[in-house]
């Protein structure tokens, strides 16, 4: 009889584990903090100066059917070749945090889009030929907190 109880207990645990909900991932607020941290670190690179936060984020923005997202953005003046700056920023994001390039920099389109799926964030690097770069970020649209 002891053995049948153990078997039933193991089966119950396995059934509960197979029915449990998948990890919902970070909330909009948590993903927004990731944006703020990553963009803030990028803006401290030596080639960037006169940094200004252009979108402080920090608030839920309605999206989708009852969802919310967060945004964050900063701009800075830069020295040197814009293509080299894009390479530097992209290398830092892919090498340090594991972002994947979704849209590659093309000279006719100065924007490069990178995504970090586990963190639910997308970052756009906008580095035109003049000396001003902007980095904007947006989280995925996720269910609003209850």
């Amino acid at each position: 009889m002891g053995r049948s109880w153990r078997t039933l207990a193991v089966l119950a645990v396995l059934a509960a584990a197979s029915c449990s909900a998948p990890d919902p991932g970070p909330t909009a607020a948590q993903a927004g903090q990731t944006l703020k941290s990553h963009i803030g670190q990028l803006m401290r690179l030596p080639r960037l100066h006169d940094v200004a936060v252009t979108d402080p984020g920090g608030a839920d923005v309605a999206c989708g059917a009852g969802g919310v997202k967060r945004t964050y953005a900063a701009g800075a003046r830069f020295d040197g070749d814009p293509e080299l700056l894009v390479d530097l920023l992209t290398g830092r994001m892919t090498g340090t945090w594991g972002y994947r390039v979704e849209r590659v920099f093309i000279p006719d389109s100065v924007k490069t889009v990178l995504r970090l799926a586990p963190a639910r964030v997308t970052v756009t690097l906008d580095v035109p030929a003049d000396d001003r770069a902007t980095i904007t970020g947006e989280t995925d649209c996720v269910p609003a907190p209850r």
Side-chain angles (χ1 to χ4, degrees):
M1 175 123 171
R3 182 179 175 135
S4 63
W5 279 105
R6 279 184 268 171
T7 302
L8 286 175
V10 168
L11 289 175
V13 168
L14 291 174
S18 66
C19 294
S20 65
D23 177 15
T27 64
Q30 291 165 330
Q33 282 301 114
T34 298
L35 282 177
K36 189 173 186 176
S37 172
H38 291 178
I39 292 173
Q41 290 179 55
L42 290 172
M43 286 296 177
R44 289 193 290 276
L45 292 173
R47 296 188 58 196
L48 298 172
H49 51 91
D50 300 330
V51 173
V53 173
T54 57
D55 175 2
D60 289 341
V61 176
C63 61
V68 294
K69 64 182 178 180
R70 296 274 176 115
T71 59
Y72 187 81
R77 295 173 58 81
F78 67 91
D79 299 318
D81 183 350
E83 289 185 39
L84 291 177
L85 179 60
V86 169
D87 288 345
L88 176 68
L89 294 169
T90 300
R92 177 67 57 96
M93 295 177 73
T94 58
T96 302
W97 301 301
Y99 280 80
R100 300 281 182 233
V101 176
E102 287 203 335
R103 191 168 88 188
V104 178
F105 173 77
I106 304 168
D108 294 338
S109 170
V110 298
K111 295 182 181 180
T112 299
V113 179
L114 299 105
R115 175 147 174 75
L116 185 58
R120 293 183 162 174
V121 298
T122 301
V123 173
T124 301
L125 310 174
D126 188 0
V127 184
D130 64 10
D131 66 344
R132 186 93 183 141
T134 58
I135 304 175
T136 58
E138 180 175 280
T139 71
D140 293 351
C141 187
V142 299
R146 296 179 185 244

